[in-house]
Amino acid sequence: MRSAVWTTIASAALTCVQALTLDDVCTPSYVSAHLPSDGFYESITINSVSVTANPVTNVSVSDQTFYPDAVFDYCNVTFTYSHVGLNDTVLLTYWLPDPNKFQNRYLSTGGGGYAINSDDESLPGGIIYGAVAGKTDGGFGIFQHNAISTFLVTNGTMDWQNIFMFGYQAIHELGVVGKAFTKTFFNMTEEAKLYSYYQGCSEGGREGWSQVQRFGDEFDGAAIGAPAFRFAFQQVQHLYSNVVEQTENYYPPPCELQKIFNETLLACDALDGRTDGVVSRTDLCSFNYDIDAVIGLNYYCAPAAASAYAAATPEQNGTVSAEGVAVAKKILDGLHDTDGKRVYFSYTTSSSFNDATTVWNETSQEWELSITSLGGSFPEVLLNLQNGSNLPSLDGVTYDTLRDWIYEGWNRYSDTLMTNWPDLTPFKKAGGKVIHFHGESDDSIPTASSVRYFESVRQVMYPGQSYNESVEALNDWYRLFLVPGGAHCSANSAEPNGPWPQTTLAVLIDWVENGDEPVTLNGTVLQGENKGETQQICSWPLRPYWSGNGTEMECQYDQKSIDSWHYDLDAFFMPVY
Ligand SMILES: *[C@@H]1O[C@H](CO)[C@@H](O)[C@H](O)[C@H]1NC(C)=O
Ligand SMILES: *[C@@H]1O[C@H](CO)[C@@H](O)[C@H](O)[C@H]1NC(C)=O
Ligand SMILES: *[C@@H]1O[C@H](CO)[C@@H](O)[C@H](O)[C@H]1NC(C)=O
Ligand SMILES: *[C@@H]1O[C@H](CO)[C@@H](O)[C@H](O)[C@H]1NC(C)=O
Ligand SMILES: *[C@@H]1O[C@H](CO)[C@@H](O)[C@H](O)[C@H]1NC(C)=O
Ligand SMILES: *[C@@H]1O[C@H](CO)[C@@H](O)[C@H](O)[C@H]1NC(C)=O
Ligand SMILES: *[C@@H]1O[C@H](CO)[C@@H](O)[C@H](O)[C@H]1NC(C)=O
Ligand SMILES: *[C@@H]1O[C@H](CO)[C@@H](O)[C@H](O)[C@H]1NC(C)=O
Ligand SMILES: *[C@@H]1O[C@H](CO)[C@@H](O)[C@H](O)[C@H]1NC(C)=O
Ligand SMILES: *[C@@H]1O[C@H](CO)[C@@H](O)[C@H](O)[C@H]1NC(C)=O
Ligand SMILES: *[C@@H]1O[C@H](CO)[C@@H](O)[C@H](O)[C@H]1NC(C)=O
Ligand SMILES: *[C@@H]1O[C@H](CO)[C@@H](O)[C@H](O)[C@H]1NC(C)=O
Ligand SMILES: [Ca+2]
């Protein structure tokens, strides 16, 4: 029989454990004593002397893209590890919640562009749900480092270790170390369930898929936005608008393209059943609207001073030309080779023509080609092996050159950067869940790129089943959501009334831990007069339509619309997943 004394001691001990504060555990000595033990992961050694730890309190975040407003405390921990035999140094950062707020969760986060992390921007997304949140520098040097400048040992010689780390290995090690560290830090038993998640967009979305495709049991759930995953296609595609301008020999003033874009939004807004400034149905827009209608309309833009991101522009006052519309149409049509075969697809009709931005030459008083560096750096560094930040020129570059660059990059990086492996059987078997979303007005990664991957996974994993059967089976664990009006990895200032899936990690946690399947994805209006309004986002292939004069949003099955998102990339013999 248990004595009253023992009960008292036991409950005192319990109280004591619960009263443990951040300050008690957020010290270098506590962290050093709770690092994963040596040999927990073959081939890496944690450098225990590198540990730093400091509590950070009363942090408040608001108006963020991937998590709601919050106030929180955390323990800021960093340490490094090396690969056995390589003498390299990879820096990890983990934010750990207060022991009383920890909810047996771990979150890995990713980066954007050629950066492998998002500095401190993504980590609060884990802390506010009681998760330890981690990021890595991939061994490339400092956080926010543009990794592409580390991809060569010297001009002409690849640094394959860095490419391999960027491709998938660094994010994998972040998760493996992070999960083991979380368990020891919080004294979890071997058997206790630690839920593990991933959240990232753009390059961070590619990083998420790189794990789901290779390491079936690394994450219980992944929230992935607009992934830059069909890498060679994606990067070279950025140059397509420039090559259209060069081929057509017309360099539109930015204001002319902005006018075409503005008129498209106006003309296509109501086609989705609601006049709200949001083009929720870009498919209906491309069926029903011809941008020829803009030819002859006046455009005007006031002069603008140079900013950190753009050169100065003069006053622009003119009328939309047939040449300008021809350039815009060719861009929207997507890349074809000179035999007329399709190489890739483009942005939706409601996306801005960002890649086509020209630059004003003061001397010649003319608009000139401005090579987009996101596009140009790929052939310059990863194909030509020159350690630059862009191609020096596009002289002699044709549509066929772009096709050949894609092919070369696809072939060369198929096991590192091309992140579109379509068979996700190990992840599915391990019970993983993916929420994949993509803005329908994304001007940096074509929305159709995500649709193509979803459909590839469906076809590869559910052969012989009808379309509806296979979609239903896939949706048990992988869902794709196209966000009406959404821009590239953010809400869109040009379509402020559209929803944005700000709470996706919460929805994912609910799916993984409670089995609540997201039949629609929770969206929030993040700006403008309707800020804070909740709207649901349809699960592909269902398409949004507002009935009842714009009062009731329905998710409809529309075969013609679905078909319009599928492209035959017949410029290649190889299947493009
Ligand atoms: C937390 O920060 C807010 C301002 O962001 C301040 O008003 C408040 O007093 C702070 N609370 C504590 C406990 O420091
Ligand atoms: C977290 O720790 C690192 C390494 O000590 C430090 O550079 C960084 O400023 C810290 N961040 C905060 C918010 O304390
Ligand atoms: C490892 O790198 C350190 C500096 O980062 C250097 O001092 C040391 O000599 C290197 N060791 C080997 C075996 O290359
Ligand atoms: C590549 O260029 C970057 C600057 O953009 C520089 O930091 C780096 O050392 C260069 N690498 C090589 C191998 O030349
Ligand atoms: C883990 O257990 C140790 C030893 O009992 C204790 O000192 C420490 O406070 C515990 N940490 C947490 C987070 O519970
Ligand atoms: C396009 O619309 C935006 C938002 O209404 C406006 O600020 C901009 O001036 C317009 N641009 C042109 C060229 O009409
Ligand atoms: C643009 O040019 C037209 C004709 O050249 C002129 O009538 C109009 O006032 C100009 N608009 C502005 C805002 O300067
Ligand atoms: C600007 O135009 C002048 C005159 O045509 C030309 O010599 C110069 O190369 C141009 N500058 C750039 C940066 O293209
Ligand atoms: C490597 O290539 C870049 C880009 O072409 C060039 O700027 C740099 O000078 C080259 N470095 C060396 C050492 O030749
Ligand atoms: C597929 O399902 C949709 C409803 O989601 C339905 O409207 C459509 O008719 C179905 N197609 C077939 C071929 O059964
Ligand atoms: C859905 O978003 C609204 C804000 O628009 C938020 O209040 C609610 O908590 C979210 N629901 C989930 C499940 O994330
Ligand atoms: C439909 O909604 C618009 C506002 O969106 C309103 O102006 C119009 O009167 C409504 N029409 C009907 C028939 O209710
Ligand atoms: Ca609308």
Side-chain angles (χ1 to χ4, degrees), residues 210-231:
S210 78
Q211 306 304 294
V212 170
Q213 291 167 6
R214 286 183 177 80
F215 310 102
D217 60 359
E218 183 174 353
F219 297 121
D220 296 297
I224 295 178
F229 53 177
R230 203 171 295 101
F231 203 80

Side-chain angles (χ1 to χ4, degrees), residues 483-510:
V483 183
H488 182 59
C489 292
S490 74
N492 188 351
S493 57
E495 302 179 60
N497 290 320
W500 183 257
Q502 187 194 43
T503 66
T504 299
L505 189 57
V507 174
L508 180 67
I509 288 172
D510 212 24

